[in-house]
Amino acid sequence: MYFAALLARTEDGWEASDTELDDVETLSDLADLAREASPDEDTVLVLIEQEDAWFGVVRVDGEEDPRIYVSDAAAAARSSYGEILLTDELLGRDPDDGDVLDALDLDGTEDGEADDEEADDDGDGAPGSAEAVPHGPVGDAAVLDDLGVSEKELRSMTTDAVTEIAESLGASETLETVR
């Protein structure tokens, strides 16, 4: 079960809106959705949570690039909403590495015979690696520092992190109106 909400900071405090992510396919789509929530280019937070598995924070400040924090990249990678947040840049991958055909080593073992190098996979995230997405947090843990949630606090949050973040921002009542 997922929960996603937008929190927009205005002159009068935080305003929350429940949001559907069904039409969101990319991080750019998500950033555009956040910008629509605040016509004055104020700070907008997109908070996404999947039960006790992972949570993500996307911060959009006007036209700046979104800042992202994901609590558990491996868990998020197994979800369609998490995949939106886990960009190549966030994971430290070269976008060109995704071209599977270029990554193939056609050395005569392609009929199902294991290559010795492939059998000794070191989990470095290279093509064929079982460990392409790291377990644990990725992204900008300082994404909420100036709003009162330190890196240490954000990294220590696990269950019900969205509520904890809202409480720290003084927006828990506002968030509850859309939950």
Side-chain angles (χ1 to χ4, degrees), residues 128-143:
S129 168
E131 192 63 34
V133 177
H135 288 275
V138 295
D140 183 358
V143 67

Side-chain angles (χ1 to χ4, degrees), residues 55-112:
F55 70 93
V57 178
V58 178
R59 178 178 178 159
V60 178
D61 292 301
E63 292 301 318
E64 292 181 28
D65 287 341
R67 295 170 57 193
I68 306 164
Y69 175 79
V70 176
S71 66
D72 186 337
R78 293 187 295 270
S79 102
S80 58
Y81 297 139
E83 287 179 348
I84 293 168
L85 305 181
L86 297 175
T87 63
D88 288 333
E89 181 181 345
L90 187 71
L91 295 173
R93 290 190 257 185
D94 183 353
D96 295 332
D97 287 348
D99 191 348
V100 176
L101 291 177
D102 288 344
L104 290 177
D105 180 15
L106 302 177
D107 63 358
T109 62
E110 51 276 347
D111 290 329

Side-chain angles (χ1 to χ4, degrees), residues 4-6 19-37 44-48 54 56-60 62 64 66-70 80-87:
L6 297 173
T19 188
E20 279 295 320
L21 300 178
D22 294 340
D23 296 331
V24 174
E25 296 180 11
T26 65
L27 180 59
S28 180
D29 294 343
L30 187 61
D32 290 343
L33 182 68
R35 288 182 183 106
E36 289 172 13
V44 178
L45 302 176
V46 181
L47 304 174
I48 302 172
W54 67 276
V57 178
V58 178
R59 178 178 178 159
V60 178
E64 292 181 28
R67 295 170 57 193
I68 306 164
Y69 175 79
V70 176
S80 58
Y81 297 139
E83 287 179 348
I84 293 168
L85 305 181
L86 297 175
T87 63

Side-chain angles (χ1 to χ4, degrees), residues 1-3 48-56 75-76 78-79 162:
M1 175 106 156
Y2 293 93
F3 174 71
I48 302 172
E49 184 174 66
Q50 181 188 4
E51 292 178 342
D52 296 337
W54 67 276
F55 70 93
R78 293 187 295 270
S79 102
V162 168

Side-chain angles (χ1 to χ4, degrees), residues 5 7 14 45-49 54-58 69-71 141 143-145 147-150 153-173 175 179:
L7 280 178
W14 292 96
L45 302 176
V46 181
L47 304 174
I48 302 172
E49 184 174 66
W54 67 276
F55 70 93
V57 178
V58 178
Y69 175 79
V70 176
S71 66
V143 67
L144 301 174
D145 266 359
L147 299 174
V149 181
S150 71
E153 288 172 304
L154 191 61
R155 287 184 189 273
S156 70
M157 292 179 184
T158 53
T159 60
D160 209 15
V162 168
T163 299
E164 286 184 56
I165 291 168
E167 285 175 6
S168 296
L169 299 174
S172 57
E173 288 181 22
L175 182 67
R179 204 177 255 272

